[in-house]
Amino acid sequence: MAHMQPLDKSTTPELADDFAIFERILGFVPNSLLTMQRKPEMVRAFGVLTKAVMSPEGEVDLGFMRLIAHFCSRAAGCQYCEAHSLIAANIHGISQKKIDAIWEYKTSEYYSEAERVALDFALAAGSVPNGVTPELFADMREYWSENQIVEILGAVCLYGFLNRWNDSMATDLEDSPKAMGDRVLKQGGWDGGKHV
């Protein structure tokens, strides 16, 4: 059960445009932001950062950026964000077959070597202490440009904020991410934890 209940999205009408960003990303306004709206400037700032990190003009596929978010959230142990990121990946063009194979990304035909390296990077960058080594960074440079590496690390850092927020708040998981978690993540031990 959440430590703080989300407010209705109509509580802060001036955040309607900010909430619309997340409705496009997820199909709904997440409970994390409905709780955060107690400080509207935080929601606005987070929306600006999200638009910059997850920009459609970026060089890295937006669906894959959500898989990056999933892996750094997995490293951090945030079950709320693990499920949310997979919903967003699916909405942004990652096939359900690829998502279903997320536990086998190292060997699955649905993942390229470049993607495997980037997902390893996301796991390492999302870990505490940080697990990015010079060797892993060199592997990243084999497949990704410096601009793409900056985008990928931006997604890790964006979700680092969300991981801390949602785990500290024990944010209640919404129905569609819970269903995705039950479908895909349970086989790896996911149960929703404090978020259900």
Side-chain angles (χ1 to χ4, degrees), residues 32 44 57 86 114 122 138 195:
S32 55
R44 283 190 208 99
E57 286 82 43
L86 292 185
H195 306 287

Side-chain angles (χ1 to χ4, degrees), residues 125-148:
S127 295
V128 176
N130 188 290
V132 175
T133 63
E135 295 78 18
L136 181 53
F137 215 94
D139 290 345
M140 284 292 287
R141 288 180 183 274
E142 283 187 41
Y143 297 99
W144 303 93
S145 71
E146 289 189 351
N147 286 349
Q148 291 170 324

Side-chain angles (χ1 to χ4, degrees), residues 76-95:
C78 180
Q79 294 193 46
Y80 182 89
C81 293
E82 285 180 64
H84 266 243
S85 55
L86 292 185
I87 286 289
N90 194 235
I91 288 170
H92 287 86
I94 301 295
S95 73

Side-chain angles (χ1 to χ4, degrees), residues 4-126:
M4 194 177 292
Q5 290 303 305
L7 304 174
D8 188 270
K9 70 179 188 178
S10 64
T11 303
T12 316
E14 63 270 24
L15 292 178
D17 289 343
D18 301 281
F19 288 154
I21 294 166
F22 297 95
E23 285 177 312
R24 286 191 297 276
I25 292 170
L26 291 167
F28 58 91
V29 180
N31 286 331
S32 55
L33 295 181
L34 294 175
T35 302
M36 194 184 297
Q37 76 177 306
R38 289 173 170 83
K39 299 296 290 182
E41 60 276 14
M42 286 178 67
V43 173
R44 283 190 208 99
F46 186 72
V48 169
L49 183 59
T50 299
K51 284 194 297 188
V53 170
M54 300 295 190
S55 171
E57 286 82 43
E59 296 177 27
V60 180
D61 175 76
L62 286 177
F64 187 68
M65 289 283 278
R66 273 49 184 222
L67 293 182
I68 294 292
H70 170 77
F71 275 77
C72 70
S73 296
R74 186 186 293 183
C78 180
Q79 294 193 46
Y80 182 89
C81 293
E82 285 180 64
H84 266 243
S85 55
L86 292 185
I87 286 289
N90 194 235
I91 288 170
H92 287 86
I94 301 295
S95 73
Q96 190 63 53
K97 284 184 179 182
K98 188 168 186 165
I99 291 170
D100 288 344
I102 197 106
W103 291 104
E104 295 84 35
Y105 80 98
K106 291 263 199 197
T107 57
S108 170
E109 65 182 304
Y110 295 111
Y111 292 86
S112 69
E113 193 56 34
E115 289 173 328
R116 290 182 184 103
V117 168
L119 296 175
D120 287 344
F121 179 82
L123 278 171

